[in-house]
Amino acid sequence: MSSSEVHTKHKWPDTTINTGYLLLLVAGVAVLFLGNIALGSVSIPIGDIINILFRGESDNAAWVKIIENIRIPRAFTAILAGSALSVGGLLMQTLFRNPLAGPSVLGITAGASLGVAIVMLTAGTITSIFAIQQLGSLGSWMIIVAASIGSAAVLLLILLISMRIRDSVTLLIIGLMIGNMTIALVSIWQYFSNPEQIRDYLIWTFGSLGGVTSGQLWLLTPVVVVGSFIAFGLSKNLNGMLLGENYARSMGLSVQRSRIWIILSTSLLAGGVTAFCGPIGFVGVAVPHLTRSLLNTNEHRILIPATFLMGAMLMLACDIVAQVPGSSTTLPISAVTSMVGSPVVIWVIIKRKNLQASFS
């Protein structure tokens, strides 16, 4: 099929940038950010919260510490995690033209889990969980480094394979198989571990936004920013690849080079968040569909910033629910995102009826 025939069959996405929607999303992020800080197990008057945010002072010194040391880092972590996983999911769905693809399909999340399992489930050595607990903040850095190395190792393997394989569907299947093998290794490791080590590892797999300190945010933030800028810079390539690799080649795009940059961007976004927050599911799958449905466009210059903001909003809202305001209970964030994300996907599927049409 010639490029002219393909161009006749497929229309380029609408390039009109709907700044009104983007401004609404920015306002939504701001409102939920303040709500996330205001709500928690300790009730703090809104006037004191505003004073602490803008002046850094309050009559109650404990409230200042709660806001500055716990709630603000947690809210920023929610923004970074939600936006990074959502943009990563959008990139994977476009690359594989598959509505069920997400940041974890290439095994990058499983690689991070394997790195953490090696550290937390290794018994009888200096890396045992008892030793990690004794190390305090250094122990949390050890887990972050292990997760980063695990995801980076899988990324390197996927990049090497992607240089030899031209078909994205084949690459998707290979990524799924690598993820399954990694999960199988973790399962074997768990089988031979004692119950205390398995319990601590399972707690990590629930995901958490509250364990990221202000110092760690200084490392997570540039990782997410760089990954997001790479993704936005690939907007034109993503628009072309959405219409098929043959069409993208006919437009003069280097599919092989684009694929490598997309994988690298997704790895930075998903691997960085998993390393610091643990595996958080469903956001990467649900948010791109929700954004496409609301904006009714496949133009990635609009979709990427909108998905970034929508992901931040959803994660902030889920974190408010997870904190169960007014009680000392905190629910696993990964469970909350799944409970919220599943109805969203079902609603979008019912509304759009033909989800695959967005990728053809």
Side-chain angles (χ1 to χ4, degrees), residues 90-314:
L90 175 66
L91 296 182
M92 289 295 96
Q93 289 176 9
T94 301
L95 174 63
F96 297 116
R97 302 178 70 198
N98 188 322
L100 296 179
S104 60
V105 294
L106 291 179
I108 296 166
T109 303
S113 300
L114 177 61
V116 174
I118 290 173
V119 172
M120 298 184 76
L121 301 181
T122 302
T125 71
I126 59 172
T127 59
S128 68
I129 189 61
F130 175 77
I132 291 172
Q133 290 170 344
Q134 298 303 307
L135 288 172
S137 60
L138 183 60
S140 66
W141 277 108
M142 183 183 292
I143 293 174
I144 291 169
V145 170
S148 301
I149 293 174
S151 58
V154 173
L155 163 66
L156 183 62
L157 181 60
I158 293 294
L159 285 176
L160 290 174
I161 293 173
S162 68
M163 292 177 184
R164 301 179 61 88
I165 294 178
R166 296 174 59 87
D167 183 32
S168 293
V169 176
T170 305
L171 183 62
L172 171 63
I173 295 171
I174 291 175
L176 288 172
M177 294 303 104
I178 291 174
N180 286 336
M181 286 190 294
T182 308
I183 293 171
L185 282 174
V186 174
S187 299
I188 293 172
W189 218 308
Q190 286 180 286
Y191 181 79
F192 289 104
S193 300
N194 63 52
E196 289 77 16
Q197 291 170 318
I198 295 174
R199 182 200 60 190
D200 289 305
Y201 175 73
L202 286 177
I203 290 174
W204 178 84
T205 63
F206 290 154
S208 173
L209 302 175
V212 181
T213 64
S214 301
Q216 292 168 346
L217 271 177
W218 286 106
L219 184 57
L220 177 60
T221 301
V223 170
V224 173
V225 169
V226 170
S228 300
F229 270 110
I230 293 175
F232 189 75
L234 293 168
S235 296
K236 181 180 177 183
N237 304 50
L238 290 165
N239 288 340
M241 295 182 74
L242 191 62
L243 300 178
E245 294 186 356
N246 290 334
Y247 182 68
R249 289 190 182 96
S250 72
M251 296 298 293
L253 297 177
S254 173
V255 173
Q256 188 78 351
R257 191 181 305 147
S258 300
R259 189 190 297 163
I260 290 174
W261 278 107
I262 291 171
I263 293 172
L264 184 61
S265 173
T266 305
S267 301
L268 282 174
L269 295 169
V273 171
T274 306
F276 283 90
C277 306
I280 300 176
F282 228 87
V283 175
V285 176
V287 173
H289 292 308
L290 183 61
T291 309
R292 284 193 202 91
S293 179
L294 290 178
L295 300 185
N296 195 28
T297 180
N298 285 323
E299 168 58 64
H300 284 79
R301 284 177 297 177
I302 302 172
L303 273 180
I304 290 175
T307 302
F308 186 97
L309 294 169
M310 188 72 77
M313 283 179 58
L314 183 66

